[in-house]
Amino acid sequence: MPSDQAIEKSQLLERHGATVERVAPCSIVDKNNFVNVARRRAAEYGADDKSGTRRGYFVNQFENPLNSDAHYRSTGPEIFQQTNGHIHAFVHGSGTGGTIAGVTHYLKQQVPGIMSFLADPQGSGLANKVNHGVMFAATEREGTRRRQQVDTLVEGVGLNRLTRNFANLLKPMQGDSKGKCMLDGAVSVSDRDAVRMSRWLMANDGLFIGSSGAINCVTALHVARRLGPGHTIVTILADSGQRHLTKFWNDQAMVSLGHDVNAPATLDIFEQQ
């Protein structure tokens, strides 16, 4: 796990009996990237067990197509059933890319004309890749970054590389004569708006969500403005604020970074895109 993630995430895993190794954030090409370390640890586990009863398994969730397939077979159908197919847009971020890829693929097959949008944190290059075909983030310019991976306080989503799961979204669906990718657009959400949205939802809806859920809601707001009244927009609030108490929900830490932690009086405060 990257060492810049909120400490309670690793503590929770440890309470369940896991051994957690926190490593410095670095590029995927570095042998010490958390993905590469996990691959090595899986290979090492049980390597000296001649009986073969102990084996390590590397989930490889970023590249394993079973990730998106699970959402194609479960999450997508669940959304379709709960909305009775009355859905106009789906919004989600991308960490491994599994959720947005699987759900988008399923819903596009079931609902003619449905749109799918990526919610992307600042510092991630995915939004620019979707909107303009180039992987780039303005906050990643040399000499401007706060972090080594993605320049944002949002955890769990946003990358500057294409995972196998996400890359499948950039291909046209089978039978699409226009050759368009499956995503209809992407919104790059600032840290400021992520913090604002989390506080607004807590104050107005009693929803205590984490940073990735916050950017999903900001993007859903932008899509709602684009589509207008009478449309059904679905997103997923996958992370609880309980896993962000020491960082994203630490008001002192957020204020030290220049963020206003008071709940906005109105949704009109969010940046137009």
Side-chain angles (χ1 to χ4, degrees):
M1 176 184 293
S3 59
D4 61 351
Q5 301 291 291
I7 190 64
E8 52 267 38
K9 293 183 178 180
S10 55
Q11 290 174 332
L12 181 62
L13 291 169
E14 289 168 342
R15 295 300 176 270
H16 283 80
T19 298
V20 180
E21 186 173 348
R22 294 172 68 93
V23 298
C26 56
S27 169
I28 189 65
V29 301
D30 192 310
K31 67 178 182 179
N32 293 317
N33 176 273
F34 73 100
V35 173
N36 298 327
V37 173
R39 181 184 290 107
R40 288 203 305 276
R41 296 293 179 264
E44 294 165 358
Y45 185 81
D48 57 351
D49 180 14
K50 294 182 171 49
S51 69
T53 56
R54 295 174 66 240
R55 288 191 306 167
Y57 176 70
F58 176 52
V59 177
N60 198 18
Q61 66 266 37
F62 288 86
E63 311 302 329
N64 192 335
L66 292 177
N67 181 347
S68 58
D69 186 61
H71 291 286
Y72 177 85
R73 295 175 181 273
S74 60
T75 317
E78 179 182 357
I79 291 172
F80 182 76
Q81 291 164 9
Q82 291 192 3
T83 59
N84 293 316
H86 183 73
I87 174 175
H88 300 92
F90 176 68
V91 168
H92 206 271
S94 179
T96 66
T99 304
I100 189 170
V103 173
T104 296
H105 193 188
Y106 179 83
L107 292 177
K108 291 254 176 176
Q109 290 179 333
Q110 303 297 322
V111 185
I114 189 173
M115 306 178 81
S116 182
F117 295 88
L118 171 70
D120 209 34
Q122 70 175 50
S124 171
L126 296 178
N128 205 73
K129 179 67 174 177
V130 172
N131 291 332
H132 306 293
V134 178
M135 182 74 75
F136 176 76
T139 52
E140 289 293 282
R141 289 193 183 98
E142 191 67 29
T144 65
R145 294 187 295 181
R146 294 196 311 267
R147 297 173 52 187
Q148 291 179 315
Q149 188 176 17
V150 174
D151 185 28
T152 179
L153 56 83
V154 176
E155 298 182 9
V157 292
L159 284 174
N160 282 314
R161 64 182 177 91
L162 290 179
T163 66
R164 181 177 178 184
N165 283 289
F166 187 82
N168 286 331
L169 284 171
L170 303 181
K171 303 174 184 176
M173 285 189 63
Q174 187 173 6
D176 182 1
S177 59
K178 296 181 180 179
K180 292 176 58 180
C181 79
M182 284 189 275
L183 289 173
D184 296 278
V187 174
S188 183
V189 180
S190 66
D191 285 351
R192 177 177 63 177
D193 275 359
V195 173
R196 284 173 169 174
M197 180 58 79
S198 67
R199 273 56 177 182
W200 191 91
L201 288 170
M202 187 63 180
N204 291 275
D205 294 308
L207 293 174
F208 186 43
I209 65 171
S211 54
S212 68
I215 70 166
N216 285 351
C217 290
V218 173
T219 301
L221 174 62
H222 289 307
V223 174
R225 287 170 172 166
R226 172 175 171 176
L227 298 183
H231 294 86
T232 300
I233 301 164
V234 173
T235 191
I236 299 173
L237 308 181
D239 57 339
S240 167
Q242 294 177 12
R243 298 184 183 182
H244 297 263
L245 291 173
T246 57
K247 296 189 71 175
F248 187 70
W249 275 98
N250 182 329
D251 285 354
Q252 185 176 359
M254 293 300 98
V255 169
S256 71
L257 293 173
H259 297 299
D260 184 356
V261 295
N262 296 306
T266 172
L267 290 175
D268 293 337
I269 198 171
F270 290 94
E271 298 169 354
Q272 296 283 349
Q273 288 203 14

